[in-house]
Amino acid sequence: MDTPRSVTPDAGRNRNTHPYAVVDVFADRPLTGNPLAVVTDADDLTDAQMAAIAVEFNLSETTFVSRPTLPGADHSLRSFTPGGDEVGGAGHNALGAWWWLVTIGAARAPGAVQQLGGRALPVHIDADDGVLTIGLDQGPVELAEAPVTAQALGEALTASDPVRLDPTLSPVTGSVGSTHLLVALTSPRDVDAVEPHGPALARVLADLGAEGCYVYSRSGDASAGHDAYCRFFNPTVGIDEDPATGTAAGPLAAHLHRLGLVGDRVRFLQGSAMGRPSVLTIDVAPEGTRLTGRCALAATGQLHL
């Protein structure tokens, strides 16, 4: 019997390689929180390649790290969704990237500056007692009333039972770089009952100039120990549901703070409905919001392009 020939794969032969990591954000152990792909050394990648890589990873966001062009910035970050769309704002897409940059020695405590969406934003790095925590200044928050009817929201958010809006909190839009619709429901059970109708929700969001929808409740046992229980949907960029959304949590924290319903430090529970519970901590100050969280490493590897 002939001895089988060994076959040497040609992966990487005459190709560029780029290291990547999969980081679980707002998590203290792997396979929880919100998974993020981080691609470093991305200076030579085109927009089309970055979009295609994000489609390949098929996570809610993939972040690419390259050299900055703004004075004073340490790294430039760009993030793409599984639909190949580029998104802005300092959320889990940036927090997980900075956690990985510190882990591999490409950034050091106590702080740095990131170039993100054309803005230079401070990054706060805390490595006390060997536990790495990242804080991101999200910048000023923009809030506005959302002229949307209960009927339109009901058609967009539920497939069967009527949506039960919280009568004490009107829908608003909020932005720290990406605009989202913030909708209060009466209880965590109502939040869990949401089954978005993608086309209808996309129409509502388009009319409001918003990307995604953050539904939340401030009442009930499910939110014990947290200021709200939340879920996030973004059909406009191909995200059915996101386990943790910093760019929505920041505006919601500022909105509730402005109404006098929460203190300066706010905690939201998100992702439980997906089996990936995530706790987002937001500090609210006159100059804007700061998002804080920890991460866990899930995987590393090489892209061969």
Side-chain angles (χ1 to χ4, degrees), residues 74 98 102 107-114 121-126 135:
D74 297 280
W98 279 99
V102 176
R108 290 180 172 81
V113 176
Q114 63 177 332
L121 296 170
V123 179
H124 306 273
I125 302 165
D126 183 351

Side-chain angles (χ1 to χ4, degrees), residues 8 27 53 117 121 136 145 157 180 187 218 235 237 239 242 258 265 301:
T8 302
I53 291 167
L121 296 170
L136 302 179
E145 294 184 6
L157 294 178
H180 301 304
S187 72
R218 298 200 62 249
V237 294
I239 299 174
D242 193 26
R258 186 172 295 182
R265 172 158 286 193

